[in-house]
Amino acid sequence: MKQFLSVALLASLVVVLAACGGKKKSEDIIAHRIVKVQPKEPVRMQPYLDEKEVEWIGKKYLVSVSRQASDSLPMVKDETGQKYVDNVFRLKVSRQDGSVFFSRTFTKKSLTQYLDDDFNKTGVFEGLVLDKAEGDFLIFGASVGHPQSDEYIPLVFKLSRMGDLSIKRDTQMDNPPADKDEETLR
């Protein structure tokens, strides 16, 4: 029996060695082809309209914020060359009788002085929303961000009961904003 196992083991070893020794080594190098991804057509955010009725300084007002992608604005490119269409925002505050208290259109160019060079060049004006009515002010949050990223610059818009609008960078994330570095726009 031992002799049979020895012969079987020896035969198996010969078969394995013969199988390995018969192949020629190839000089071909197999590598994956690098395919350059071509940018797709420009990416645009969906339009929206947000209307809220708010109690402010003892009266009811209708606050309307709309966003629309605009092909007339300069497009933004990311590091892959993908283009993004920037947005136009319209802020309108109407009195209860329907008369317009405040109306203005904003683009990223309206916010240039509050942004650094990187966000001016590669950022998109992403959002503008009503935060709250507080005392003599309607307070809005806004953001300019890098497309497809969570990097953004938060801004605070404050509209006074006299119709004056101030804009500043929000340095007090989730806290009441401080009044320094605030500029009033008329």
Side-chain angles (χ1 to χ4, degrees), residues 48-53 62-65 92:
Y48 81 78
L49 173 64
D50 184 29
E51 294 184 324
K52 292 181 182 172
E53 194 172 278
L62 180 64
V63 177
S64 173
V65 178
K92 184 169 123 181

Side-chain angles (χ1 to χ4, degrees), residues 48 50 52 63-67 89-91 106 111 115 124-133 137-145 152-159 165-175 177:
Y48 81 78
D50 184 29
K52 292 181 182 172
V63 177
S64 173
V65 178
S66 64
R67 175 183 66 201
F89 283 84
R90 181 160 188 237
L91 170 61
F106 299 94
L111 309 172
L115 307 174
V124 172
F125 190 7
E126 295 177 332
L128 177 63
V129 295
L130 174 64
D131 183 18
K132 60 188 169 186
F137 298 96
L138 287 177
I139 301 172
F140 300 83
S143 65
V144 174
Y152 66 96
I153 293 181
L155 302 165
V156 176
F157 288 38
K158 286 176 76 174
L159 179 61
L165 181 73
S166 64
I167 302 172
K168 68 175 192 149
R169 269 181 115 157
D170 187 1
T171 56
Q172 304 286 319
M173 296 293 280
D174 295 329
N175 293 325

